[in-house]
Amino acid sequence: MKTDALHAVRLARTDLKLLGRNYVALFNVMVLPLLFGFLYLQMTEDPTFVLSGMPGILLIFTAFLNLVNTFTARREELVLKRLRGGQSSAAAIFGGAGLGALAVFVFQVVLLIVLTNRYAGALPTNPVPMIVGGLLGVAVFALLAAAFSGITPSAEMAQLTPMPVLIVLMFAAPLAWPLDQMPAALEIVSRVLPVTPVMELMRAGYYGASLGEMSVYVATLLGWVAVSALLVKLFFRWDPRHN
Amino acid sequence: MLEITGLRKQFPGGKVALDGVGFEVRPGELYGFVGANGAGKTTTMRIVMGVLLSDAGQVSWQGRPLDADTRKRIGYMPEERGLYQKMRVAEQIEYFGQLHGMSAAAARTATNDLLERLTLTERRNDAVEALSLGNQQRVQLAVALVHDPELLILDEPFSGLDPIAVEALSTVLQERARGGVPVLFSSHQLELVERLCDAVGIISAGRMVATGSVETLQAAAGRALKVVVRGAEPGWADGLPGELAVQGDRHVLVTSGGDDQEILRRAVKSGHVEHFGFERASLTEIFKEAVA
């Protein structure tokens, strides 16, 4: 257990170091979501609402898109197989990837909190739902990324295969409008997406929410953790696809 | 000592990859594991490393079944050479050392030493993807050695290397073996295995067809008589056992049977005898015989 944790930290550190050297991935993780956020800010008069929901969008890029690329590239480089050959357990490998994504996500959320305070004068009053939403959100999107890497043939294709999911999540997420102001059909779809409970729990940190509401969001995320883990079991591959 | 006994592995689809494979690698011994492609070498090594599970059989280290903790103290060079392509040479070796539980300082010291030994010091800050295949192979070996392993298991460590790199790698492996580390490696380069190894195992279609010291295998294979006659008359060897090859004006007869004195008489009568002597079978000949 201790070895797994130590390995996860070292793997995460390496992932972060290599992310820093991959300018395309770095742009996708750090800049692209901010551009989308800026776009959404133009559509609303309530910047706090958009900025407090932004962590959900960040997760799509930081945990999902980035990790599909990471898992696929490591698999094709045969690094995953090497790591499994007596060095690290599967738990350490998945944990390390998730931990790296979590580190970037925490940095981005702190940055968002500073920006929200500066431009909208708002600060979160309750960090607990934000922490729960963030942790569960990273877990869901890291697992989904691992599953998606299994159907992604190469690192180059890792920019493409997650696109349908990315588009649905981006446009059905309640970023600029609250859920109850969405068309009824879109609201139903939005409520079951994994990005929505993350956003709502983040917003609960600013606006507050009832325990009942928060429980539903947490339960939805836990459900997604289970579904994602099942998808990993079905689709994740340690071996390159051409073998 | 590494003991492998009765390993059996059947893959989905019914192919029996290993059928009762067993051998031992003693402390300080360089053990060459040879066999044709698909004979079962990599499968055996993967089972030893716990990457694959066997259907039957056992792998023991120092008299006890090999477990996950012990495996972390093994230096393993897998057939799939996986390295982080964008990582620098030195930091990659240090990183794998740390994954094996070394402190950052110890990993750095060991890395510097290995870079020096494997003549990679000048490339220490290059990304792995910028190296030639031969140099990448040296990095692979450094990764397998960095944590000062108790046992070395190397899958085709010499493939794709130039003679200078082969020599450098051989020297490092011999040093480790002299330090008491059992070294198990697979290779298709039989001359190299014959020169380097204390013991050899030959696997064919999932079964061990020969195992033992090179001398034992050579003794078991018997000695061959080689006769070289210059300017021999055609047909001088008719009726003699063995194979006759003609190289220019030289006739070379290699045989493991027949009356040697009779062969010598006919050779002398036929032309100028340049060579007449008994020779030990090479590992290549033993291998061909064993897998035939």
Side-chain angles (χ1 to χ4, degrees):
Chain A
M1 189 71 181
K2 189 184 164 196
T3 311
D4 279 350
L6 211 60
H7 276 193
V9 170
R10 283 179 176 144
L11 289 165
R13 215 164 53 190
T14 299
D15 278 349
L16 290 175
K17 194 185 283 180
L18 294 177
L19 175 67
R21 288 179 196 165
N22 185 340
Y23 297 126
V24 176
L26 202 60
F27 179 84
N28 286 344
V29 168
M30 303 301 286
V31 182
L32 211 53
L34 294 178
L35 291 178
F36 277 106
F38 181 75
L39 200 70
Y40 276 99
L41 274 175
Q42 312 309 308
M43 300 178 193
T44 177
E45 289 173 357
D46 183 358
T48 307
F49 184 79
V50 172
L51 290 170
S52 60
M54 265 299 287
I57 301 298
L58 291 176
L59 270 185
I60 299 171
F61 290 88
T62 307
F64 183 61
L65 200 59
N66 174 37
L67 289 185
V68 171
N69 187 41
T70 302
F71 280 125
T72 309
R74 302 281 182 274
R75 185 192 68 213
E76 295 302 307
E77 288 171 343
L78 300 164
V79 167
L80 291 182
K81 280 194 85 170
R82 170 184 275 280
L83 290 173
R84 287 274 281 161
Q87 271 154 350
S88 301
S89 67
I93 294 168
F94 287 125
L99 207 59
L102 181 67
V104 178
F105 179 64
V106 168
F107 169 76
Q108 290 174 317
V109 170
V110 169
L111 201 68
L112 266 180
I113 289 171
V114 172
L115 284 175
T116 310
N117 180 244
R118 179 146 188 189
Y119 294 107
L123 270 176
T125 51
N126 183 6
V128 176
M130 298 175 79
I131 292 168
V132 172
L135 287 175
L136 286 174
V138 169
V140 169
F141 282 101
L143 287 168
L144 281 177
F148 257 77
S149 75
I151 57 166
T152 304
S154 64
E156 289 76 25
M157 290 296 286
Q159 310 296 327
L160 283 180
T161 49
M163 270 312 151
V165 177
L166 190 126
I167 290 167
V168 171
L169 291 175
M170 290 286 297
F171 293 101
L175 186 62
W177 303 276
L179 279 167
D180 53 14
Q181 286 179 24
M182 286 180 167
L186 187 59
E187 184 189 342
I188 293 167
V189 173
S190 186
R191 281 190 186 280
V192 295
L193 292 176
V195 70
T196 303
V198 176
M199 288 177 154
E200 295 303 316
L201 285 167
M202 290 290 168
R203 284 184 178 132
Y206 281 87
Y207 298 102
S210 72
L211 196 61
E213 280 175 314
M214 286 195 284
S215 302
V216 171
Y217 297 136
V218 170
T220 308
L221 281 173
L222 287 174
W224 269 105
V225 169
V227 169
S228 313
L230 183 68
L231 291 174
V232 169
K233 199 171 164 53
L234 289 174
F235 295 114
F236 185 76
R237 298 170 62 102
W238 296 100
D239 292 323
R241 285 182 63 88
H242 52 77
N243 276 2
Chain B
M1 181 164 72
L2 176 72
E3 288 172 277
I4 296 168
T5 43
L7 283 191
R8 187 181 157 78
K9 177 72 185 175
Q10 185 167 17
F11 285 117
K15 191 201 168 191
V16 177
L18 301 180
D19 189 7
V21 167
F23 57 89
E24 295 169 354
V25 189
R26 293 176 180 79
E29 188 172 74
L30 270 159
Y31 189 98
F33 194 29
V34 298
N37 290 333
K41 303 184 296 292
T42 296
T43 303
T44 304
M45 290 180 164
R46 284 181 176 167
I47 289 173
V48 172
M49 289 309 298
V51 179
L52 278 178
L53 291 175
S54 62
D55 300 328
Q58 197 171 17
V59 181
S60 306
W61 171 242
Q62 312 293 39
R64 280 187 289 188
L66 201 58
D67 58 19
D69 275 345
T70 313
R71 286 193 177 101
K72 288 192 170 65
R73 301 198 298 274
I74 297 177
Y76 176 46
M77 184 170 169
E79 183 194 36
E80 52 278 347
R81 305 296 202 211
L83 290 175
Y84 292 87
Q85 293 297 308
K86 292 196 184 302
M87 216 164 168
R88 295 184 189 111
V89 169
E91 72 181 359
Q92 180 127 223
I93 301 168
E94 283 178 39
Y95 164 69
F96 279 108
Q98 288 181 48
L99 282 185
H100 279 287
M102 298 177 88
S103 69
R108 195 169 307 122
T109 307
T111 298
N112 290 340
D113 180 47
L114 281 166
L115 290 174
E116 187 72 34
R117 298 304 322 276
L118 296 165
T119 59
L120 279 170
T121 303
E122 286 181 10
R123 312 301 303 269
R124 59 177 301 128
N125 290 321
D126 290 346
V128 166
E129 64 187 357
L131 301 183
S132 66
L133 283 179
N135 277 338
Q136 289 196 21
Q137 194 92 318
R138 293 179 199 216
V139 178
Q140 296 283 352
L141 188 71
V143 164
L145 294 173
V146 64
H147 57 294
D148 198 14
E150 292 177 8
L151 166 66
L152 271 171
I153 296 179
L154 313 167
D155 200 349
E156 299 282 354
F158 296 100
S159 70
L161 292 183
D162 62 52
I164 294 166
V166 166
E167 213 44 52
L169 251 67
S170 306
T171 306
V172 172
L173 295 187
Q174 283 171 316
E175 280 175 8
R176 295 288 167 141
R178 273 200 296 274
V181 175
V183 181
L184 165 66
F185 74 93
S186 64
S187 181
H188 289 293
Q189 289 152 277
L190 298 176
E191 291 80 11
L192 180 70
V193 172
E194 184 174 350
R195 181 166 64 83
L196 267 187
C197 292
D198 308 297
V200 176
I202 301 174
I203 186 169
S204 176
R207 289 168 187 250
M208 293 302 287
V209 289
T211 184
S213 69
V214 176
E215 288 77 18
T216 311
L217 293 179
Q218 283 175 327
R223 297 185 305 167
L225 175 64
K226 186 177 177 185
V227 188
V228 181
V229 188
R230 186 156 48 85
E233 295 163 7
W236 74 275
D238 286 351
L240 293 176
E243 283 182 31
L244 181 73
V246 179
Q247 298 164 355
D249 65 341
R250 286 181 172 78
H251 288 208
V252 181
L253 176 72
V254 179
T255 176
S256 52
D259 179 351
D260 51 354
Q261 296 307 310
E262 169 63 16
I263 293 169
L264 179 60
R265 269 194 296 275
R266 284 175 65 171
V268 168
K269 199 174 164 188
S270 165
H272 177 70
V273 177
E274 284 189 339
H275 176 87
F276 181 89
F278 288 94
E279 294 186 352
R280 286 188 152 187
S282 68
L283 185 59
T284 305
E285 288 160 341
I286 295 169
F287 177 76
K288 281 182 188 167
E289 182 76 20
V291 302

